[in-house]
Amino acid sequence: MKNRIISVISLFFVSIYATFAQSDVRVKNIILMIGDGMGVAQVYAAYTVNKGKLNLEKAQYIGFSKTSSANSYITDSGAGGTAISIGRKTNNGCIGVDSDSVSLKTILEIAEENELSTGLLATSAITHATPASFVAHQISRYDTLEIAYDFIGSGIDIFIGGGRNHFERRIDSANISDSLRKEGYSIVYDLASIKAKDKNNIGCLVADKHLLPVLNGRGDFLPDATSLSLSRLSKNKKGFFVMIEGSQIDWAGHSNHISYLVSEMIDFDKAVGVAFDFADKNPGTLVVVTADHETGGLSLVDGDIHSGKLSSTFGTTDHTGVMVPVFAYGAGAEEFKGIYENTELFFKMMRLYGFKP
Ligand code: MG
Ligand code: ZN
């Protein structure tokens, strides 16, 4: 009898412990990676040409995100990025505002308010639709001069990408880089100038407009910038939020250029590898890799994993309406399984941080 009571009591404590442990996923750091235009075919194209190897395959939980915007079956990158950044469907072309043009706080801004460190990395201009969706509030994605203004006062700790012309060589002759320097930023123009010891917030504008494609010599910029920014952001004990974009997967899809597409995908996957390694070494880190939409209606019609040979066709030069994959790794990754609207990505990240929307 006594033994039975003891075993019932211990069972009780074991189940309490299990319940507690399950709900106690504490996510400190979120690395959100957006492959612009990356559908399942884009991933498998890279897998094929890379002869059966991708870091993405280590992902622990997989989901699908439905990407339609408030006013269209086919989203653009403004509405696609904004759905993820503010948790609301908006009209195509909008940046950080809902379909009534009301500005809502982005997950990056909410992280900033909660004293986390924040960052944005892209292989396009940093003012381009996807990164802009996390820091700016504009009715039109094409208003890049206003989008650059929105970096002032954002508190963002590190941003790396192109778009120097939108900060410094503007038709209104404003100099956003100088304004940011007055806020205490270091503004530099190449990755090598990001010094480990520099405690300032940092903006790194590596191109006047967009960065070169990998095919034209961009090299390991994205994986290098990823590793550099993670080592800086992780100095904040409270945690961080960073959005890292493989911007040009989309452009390769628009131009129906398969070797451009595959090279951008493999580059993005290298950055994914850096993020997954960081998550392994830093408990409490979640990596979410997804897309805003698919581009090109890519179809793989033949291939060979051993030789890396691939035959493909495209169905369109525009975006398509198909669901896009969500790959999750690390703390809280299980939250991302299933099929859901792109807006859910925002709420899942908010819940895991313990933030109230
Ligand atoms: Mg983009
Ligand atoms: Zn596009």
Side-chain angles (χ1 to χ4, degrees):
M1 186 63 182
K2 198 177 165 194
N3 276 351
R4 218 164 107 197
I5 290 173
I6 289 173
S7 68
V8 166
I9 289 174
S10 59
L11 199 73
F12 174 73
F13 279 111
V14 165
S15 62
I16 291 237
Y17 176 76
T19 314
F20 180 72
Q22 210 176 29
S23 60
D24 195 39
V25 178
R26 282 274 180 277
V27 172
K28 210 175 82 165
N29 310 316
I30 296 182
I31 305 170
L32 172 65
M33 306 188 70
I34 299 182
D36 197 318
M38 182 188 75
V40 171
Q42 280 77 359
V43 174
Y44 204 72
Y47 172 81
T48 305
V49 175
N50 212 30
K51 300 180 182 174
K53 282 196 303 267
L54 278 188
N55 292 309
L56 266 175
E57 277 195 285
K58 289 187 210 143
Q60 295 155 325
Y61 291 90
I62 315 297
F64 278 103
S65 162
K66 297 188 269 190
T67 66
S68 70
S69 67
N71 67 341
S72 176
Y73 181 71
I74 311 278
T75 190
D76 82 315
S77 295
T82 298
I84 302 171
S85 73
I86 69 170
R88 297 280 182 92
K89 298 271 187 185
T90 191
N91 295 332
N92 283 4
C94 289
I95 298 292
V97 299
D98 70 10
S99 54
D100 297 320
S101 306
V102 176
S103 292
L104 291 171
K105 277 181 188 149
T106 72
I107 183 114
L108 184 147
E109 291 167 324
I110 296 166
E112 191 62 44
E113 278 183 0
N114 283 272
E115 298 176 346
L116 272 61
S117 290
T118 57
L120 283 179
L121 273 61
T123 52
S124 62
I126 202 70
T127 45
H128 207 253
T130 312
S133 298
F134 289 82
V135 72
H137 303 275
Q138 298 297 333
I139 291 158
S140 170
R141 58 182 286 180
Y142 300 108
D143 212 342
T144 46
L145 298 187
E146 288 300 320
I147 288 170
Y149 260 119
D150 285 349
F151 279 75
I152 301 172
S154 69
I156 184 169
D157 293 81
I158 185 164
F159 59 95
I160 308 177
R164 186 175 176 180
N165 284 353
H166 302 147
F167 285 78
E168 297 173 12
R169 295 165 190 143
R170 301 159 53 103
I171 43 165
D172 65 1
S173 71
N175 190 319
I176 306 298
S177 292
D178 283 348
S179 304
L180 287 169
R181 285 188 180 104
K182 283 185 196 126
E183 279 190 355
Y185 278 80
S186 299
I187 303 293
V188 298
Y189 305 103
D190 55 63
L191 284 186
S193 303
I194 302 179
K195 299 281 189 307
K197 274 186 264 167
D198 187 346
K199 287 206 170 60
N200 293 341
N201 286 353
I202 202 146
C204 181
L205 299 166
V206 298
D208 289 343
K209 293 175 183 162
H210 305 303
L211 279 75
L212 293 173
V214 167
L215 288 181
N216 298 349
R218 190 171 80 233
D220 281 334
F221 164 85
L222 190 62
D224 289 350
T226 298
S227 144
L228 227 152
S229 65
L230 294 180
S231 67
R232 284 182 68 97
L233 289 166
S234 59
K235 287 188 178 126
N236 184 342
K237 294 283 170 283
K238 289 186 176 163
F240 65 79
F241 172 83
V242 63
M243 194 290 294
I244 300 170
E245 187 197 21
S247 318
Q248 301 195 25
I249 301 162
D250 174 64
W251 303 348
H254 281 293
S255 54
N256 286 186
H257 191 322
I258 190 67
S259 51
Y260 181 14
L261 190 152
V262 165
S263 60
E264 292 298 326
M265 267 303 307
I266 291 174
D267 174 67
F268 183 61
D269 184 67
K270 277 188 203 166
V272 168
V274 171
F276 284 1
D277 285 349
F278 179 91
D280 285 340
K281 290 179 195 129
N282 296 272
T285 301
L286 166 69
V287 187
V288 177
V289 188
T290 189
D292 45 359
H293 52 73
E294 194 272 350
T295 307
L298 177 62
S299 175
L300 310 182
V301 292
D302 199 7
D304 185 295
I305 303 292
H306 298 288
S307 66
K309 213 177 108 241
L310 177 70
S311 303
S312 61
T313 62
F314 288 88
T316 175
T317 55
D318 209 336
H319 303 168
T320 68
V322 293
M323 297 188 290
V324 292
V326 182
F327 302 92
Y329 188 84
E334 63 278 5
E335 292 297 316
F336 292 83
K337 65 192 181 193
I339 299 175
Y340 39 82
E341 294 293 342
N342 51 5
T343 44
E344 271 305 302
L345 291 162
F346 169 84
F347 294 104
K348 288 175 190 297
M349 292 189 288
M350 288 286 285
R351 273 197 299 275
L352 287 167
Y353 271 136
F355 297 161
K356 302 227 161 36

